[in-house]
């Protein structure tokens, strides 16, 4: 049974807007959280927390930010390619 998606509030903050855009593009590409997690090598729960603005997309340290950029590029490429 599919889980009900949590309602997003993109007007609340930049983090909320980012999360809602990730979900919107993921859904437009027809991707599940599980599949996207495989592509960008994040856990499904981490991506879910980003989508609902419970977690930042990238930490503040240089090393973490670098990983975030690489994951962001992979996420964007996967979403644009419609990988499912």
């Amino acid at each position: 049974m599919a889980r009900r998606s949590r309602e997003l509030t993109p007007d609340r903050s930049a983090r909320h807007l980012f999360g809602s855009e990730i979900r919107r593009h993921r859904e437009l590409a027809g991707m599940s959280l599980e599949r996207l997690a495989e592509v960008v090598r994040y856990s499904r729960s981490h991506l879910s927390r980003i989508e609902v603005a419970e977690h930042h997309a990238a930490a503040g340290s240089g090393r973490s930010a670098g990983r975030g950029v690489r994951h962001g590029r992979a996420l964007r490429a996967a979403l644009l390619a419609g990988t499912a």
Side-chain angles (χ1 to χ4, degrees), residues 15-77:
R15 186 171 42 170
H16 285 80
L17 176 61
F18 181 77
S20 68
E21 285 297 295
I22 293 294
R23 180 184 288 174
R24 183 175 73 84
H25 287 285
R26 177 180 59 77
E27 289 176 344
L28 284 172
M31 294 182 80
S32 67
L33 270 173
E34 290 80 9
R35 178 63 184 136
L36 183 57
E38 291 172 8
V39 171
V40 298
R41 297 181 183 165
Y42 271 145
S43 71
R44 188 206 61 78
S45 63
H46 184 78
L47 287 174
S48 176
R49 289 191 306 262
I50 289 172
E51 284 189 0
V52 298
E54 290 178 354
H55 198 281
H56 292 283
S61 74
R63 192 176 334 176
S64 293
R67 282 193 303 268
V69 167
R70 286 191 301 279
H71 287 303
R73 286 182 187 145
L75 171 62
R76 183 173 186 272

